[in-house]
Amino acid sequence: MADTASPDRSTRAARRAVFVDGLPVVTLGVVALALGGNPDQSAVQKGWWIATTTVFSLAVAWVLLRAFRRADEYLRKIQLESMAIAFAVVLIGLQVATLLDAAGVIELHQLAQLLLIGGIGLWLTIADLRTRLHR
């Protein structure tokens, strides 16, 4: 009975650690989006936005690296397979968006942001569902 409780506790501890690491990063991402939301920015505002976005990107990479180091082989495999699926979906979506842009249906810059954010959401959803259903 202790063996069945141990993986559940370790899974909860890993999720809690990612949540604690990721919460400031998500907050920083919201700040970066708010700073970049104004189309008429001064040079100082653009500088703050670029700095915040750079720090946000590095923080995301740091959180992912820490999560991968904490994970066992099975969780690493799930994460990498989920990333591969999301990457393929984003690539296909970007190809479709490029064709729609060339046809004049929609502008590429509007759809590219949604595709990238959707790809990250798809990656996290697939990884979470696979982790919950296969353990």
Side-chain angles (χ1 to χ4, degrees):
M1 190 152 135
D3 292 333
T4 59
S6 178
D8 188 37
R9 286 184 188 157
S10 66
T11 302
R12 271 195 242 144
R15 284 187 180 154
R16 189 177 306 117
V18 169
F19 177 74
V20 168
D21 285 351
L23 191 60
V25 174
V26 169
T27 305
L28 188 60
V30 170
V31 170
L33 282 174
L35 289 174
N38 185 7
D40 299 322
Q41 294 181 342
S42 67
V44 174
Q45 289 174 327
K46 284 183 184 178
W48 275 107
W49 175 68
I50 290 171
T52 307
T53 305
T54 302
V55 170
F56 169 71
S57 300
L58 293 173
V60 167
W62 178 253
V63 168
L64 289 175
L65 182 66
R66 286 178 50 105
F68 281 133
R69 285 187 177 172
R70 273 191 228 114
D72 59 354
E73 289 179 20
Y74 177 72
L75 289 176
R76 286 180 186 177
K77 178 183 173 229
I78 285 177
Q79 287 292 333
L80 291 175
E81 288 175 354
S82 301
M83 273 189 216
I85 292 168
F87 182 71
V89 169
V90 168
L91 282 180
I92 291 169
L94 286 173
Q95 288 293 326
V96 170
T98 304
L99 291 174
L100 290 174
D101 184 43
V105 177
I106 193 167
E107 292 186 28
L108 182 62
H109 71 275
Q110 293 174 342
L111 204 53
Q113 293 174 355
L114 293 174
L115 284 170
L116 293 175
I117 292 170
I120 293 170
L122 180 66
W123 161 43
L124 296 174
T125 302
I126 290 171
D128 188 51
L129 288 175
R130 289 192 63 199
T131 303
R132 289 177 191 261
L133 296 176
H134 291 289
R135 280 241 172 185

